[in-house]
Amino acid sequence: MNSSDLKEEISDLKVKHNAIILAHNYQIDEVQEIADYTGDSFGLSKLAASTDAEIIVFCGVLFMAESAVILSPEKTVLQPDLQAGCPLADSITPEALQAKKKEYPEAVVVCYVNSSADVKALSDICCTSANAVKVVNSLAERQVLFVPDKNLAFYVAAHTKKEIIPWDGCCSIHHKVVVDDLYKQRKLHPDGIIVVHPECRPEVTALADFVGSTAEIIRFARETASNKLIIGTEIGTLYRLKNDNPHKEFHLVSEELICPDMKLNNLSKIRDALLNKQPQVNVPVQTRKEAFAALERMLQVNDY
Ligand code: CIZ
């Protein structure tokens, strides 16, 4: 079946099942094209909770679909390819976090949304890459166990007086960007401005002109007077950047910025998910309630 037939079938199935399709900013172009909404993981989950759709097809990786379940337990959440996981989220198990908490009994546990429902459930409060600094600075405790991304933890540490204890995990894709990549791009595009994600190494974020989450990068690109941007986040983000700013030039800081997990979802898997109402993502009730509490606490500090 060709891609336009598939798109038509998906569109009919969506209406038939009262479903919406959410695509993370890192999804392949074709998936972003047919999505009802594109965005970052937390923004999409909040959006899912606010629609009256009964079925959410979440095109992203597992922790993202879990967040949608946590915020919308009454809806059916489908992930077209269940193999799409996140090595960063998998870098911490609930058991390992429990052990670390024992090592630092005074510390408050802040977990990045890029974590499993089980890890969220064991954390005091969640944060996104956009609000991590604000969340940490809002806390009464002096010592913060920050999981699972060490690069985001270093970024927060540079913007707070609190003691940050980073978990030793990272996004293997953003971590591939090195300062040499930035120097090379600056040479190639001397009038370009460098925009990177806070999951990049601290020496990379220190050199960038702007550091932000995907949603912040998308907003920044629209608002900046600059017409040439060098982008340090996953390649999928270019779809939205180019669509929003057809007159601007975008260059990826490194050709390595491709997340293989994010590329697992495609049109035929979305069609199959809608046809079979499978694969579904579920989170056990107790875990969901505890994880929800950590997300809700974040929302009280900052709703993004
Ligand atoms: O939380 C997300 O969606 C991720 C993975 C990155 C971002 O900055 O949007």
Side-chain angles (χ1 to χ4, degrees):
M1 189 180 273
N2 66 33
S3 127
S4 61
D5 289 345
L6 262 177
K7 285 179 186 166
E8 210 177 301
E9 199 180 344
I10 288 170
S11 163
D12 292 346
L13 285 165
K14 264 192 343 184
V15 176
K16 184 172 166 200
H17 296 306
N18 187 21
I20 55 167
I21 299 176
L22 306 181
H24 189 266
N25 291 322
Y26 298 161
Q27 290 293 291
I28 59 170
D29 291 3
E30 268 194 332
V31 169
Q32 295 201 46
E33 247 172 60
I34 54 117
D36 295 290
Y37 300 98
T38 57
D40 66 10
S41 62
F42 191 65
L44 289 175
S45 292
K46 272 193 18 184
L47 216 138
S50 71
T51 76
D52 56 11
E54 289 159 79
I55 295 183
I56 308 296
V57 183
F58 206 119
C59 303
V61 295
L62 189 59
F63 78 82
M64 299 180 176
E66 283 185 343
S67 293
V69 176
I70 293 164
L71 295 187
S72 312
E74 73 293 351
K75 298 190 198 296
T76 299
V77 177
L78 307 175
Q79 179 172 305
D81 190 324
L82 264 193
Q83 294 306 314
C86 173
L88 168 59
D90 294 342
S91 71
I92 181 165
T93 61
E95 296 73 25
L97 177 54
Q98 293 279 32
K100 203 70 169 172
K101 280 168 71 157
K102 282 199 184 121
E103 250 181 80
Y104 296 97
E106 305 286 306
V108 60
V109 180
V110 177
C111 89
Y112 184 27
V113 286
N114 292 33
S115 54
S116 67
D118 287 329
V119 164
K120 286 186 178 79
L122 288 173
S123 301
D124 295 301
I125 184 166
C126 286
C127 71
T128 66
S129 52
N131 66 19
V133 173
K134 196 166 180 185
V135 164
V136 165
N137 282 331
S138 76
L139 302 169
E141 293 84 348
R142 191 192 57 82
Q143 200 178 50
V144 178
L145 182 52
F146 193 99
V147 304
D149 190 316
K150 64 179 174 189
N151 288 334
L152 184 58
F154 295 143
Y155 183 73
V156 171
H159 295 86
T160 184
K161 291 195 170 70
K162 295 186 186 290
E163 182 193 354
I164 307 291
I165 300 145
W167 186 262
D168 190 16
C170 65
C171 163
S172 55
I173 310 304
H174 285 97
H175 198 67
K176 281 184 187 159
V177 179
V178 291
V179 286
D180 262 4
D181 295 321
L182 273 61
Y183 292 139
K184 269 185 216 150
Q185 291 296 330
R186 272 217 208 281
K187 236 189 196 160
L188 284 170
H189 311 287
D191 52 340
I193 50 172
I194 299 184
V195 171
V196 304
H197 197 277
E199 288 176 20
C200 291
R201 296 163 187 262
E203 59 273 27
V204 168
T205 53
L207 269 184
D209 299 300
F210 178 80
V211 181
S213 67
T214 55
E216 289 175 313
I217 290 174
I218 288 165
R219 192 174 337 115
F220 176 81
R222 258 197 317 260
E223 291 171 1
T224 179
S226 175
N227 281 326
K228 200 179 275 187
L229 287 91
I230 297 156
I231 302 295
T233 191
E234 213 276 344
I235 191 168
T237 314
L238 292 183
Y239 173 81
R240 182 78 183 273
L241 289 171
K242 287 179 178 169
N243 271 351
D244 286 1
N245 310 280
H247 57 290
K248 295 193 180 184
E249 227 178 86
F250 295 96
H251 302 276
L252 212 54
V253 75
S254 151
E255 282 174 10
E256 308 247 21
L257 281 162
I258 302 173
C259 171
D261 282 273
M262 281 287 180
K263 308 307 175 202
L264 288 174
N265 297 310
N266 60 33
L267 293 184
S268 54
K269 289 178 194 174
I270 293 171
R271 187 268 319 271
D272 292 349
L274 280 165
L275 263 179
N276 306 319
K277 297 197 184 159
Q278 291 290 343
Q280 290 187 18
V281 175
N282 294 298
V283 177
V285 179
Q286 191 55 27
T287 308
R288 179 167 57 68
K289 285 186 179 159
E290 288 165 7
F292 182 77
L295 282 169
E296 200 179 33
R297 197 170 160 201
M298 170 184 87
L299 289 173
Q300 284 161 9
V301 176
N302 185 275
D303 72 352
Y304 216 72

